[in-house]
Amino acid sequence: MASLRDLLCRILCKQDSHPIREFESVGELTAFILTDWTNLKPYIAQDHDCDDFAREFQRAALRSGYLVNVHLADAGAHMRCMAIIQDEIYFIEPQTDLFWKYGPLD
């Protein structure tokens, strides 16, 4: 059975393109966040809010070859992103570009 990463790469990556992968370091995540402009888009209640920011950040990461997940927080009242870096979970707030280590994957 193919992994989610393999399936996404088959659908979205060019044959000669790099595969979808996780960030290798906090520095690589930081560099991506610095070049991503999702946080500069306006917040508009009910029209362009947390779920829109999270999914836009996820798509931008995917276009750059990175695997980023969306994550429901606050009992489903908020959506943010999540990345895995070397067996550590990091949460990313795409509206502000803040990110923090949540803890170990295992």
Side-chain angles (χ1 to χ4, degrees):
M1 178 178 245
S3 70
L4 176 59
R5 178 186 293 172
D6 292 336
L7 291 173
L8 287 173
C9 191
R10 288 179 199 165
I11 295 168
L12 299 170
C13 296
K14 298 177 184 175
Q15 291 290 55
D16 58 348
S17 180
H18 59 304
I20 304 297
R21 63 180 180 84
E22 295 169 342
F23 293 99
E24 292 181 8
S25 67
V26 172
E28 190 173 46
L29 173 61
T30 301
F32 173 75
I33 288 174
L34 288 173
T35 61
D36 174 66
W37 293 1
T38 302
N39 64 307
L40 299 179
K41 296 178 181 179
Y43 173 89
I44 304 169
Q46 304 302 317
D47 288 328
H48 192 257
D49 51 12
C50 63
D51 62 302
D52 301 295
F53 280 94
R55 292 179 310 151
E56 288 170 11
F57 185 88
Q58 181 187 45
R59 284 190 298 270
L62 190 58
R63 280 191 302 271
S64 294
Y66 297 112
L67 184 61
V68 170
N69 300 296
V70 293
H71 170 77
L72 285 173
D74 302 327
H78 184 62
M79 186 178 282
R80 60 184 170 218
C81 292
M82 181 188 83
I84 297 171
I85 303 172
Q86 298 181 3
D87 294 328
E88 297 284 338
I89 297 171
Y90 285 80
F91 287 137
I92 306 158
E93 182 52 66
Q95 294 179 65
T96 62
D97 281 351
L98 293 176
F99 70 93
W100 62 99
K101 182 167 64 172
Y102 174 75
L105 184 59
D106 295 325

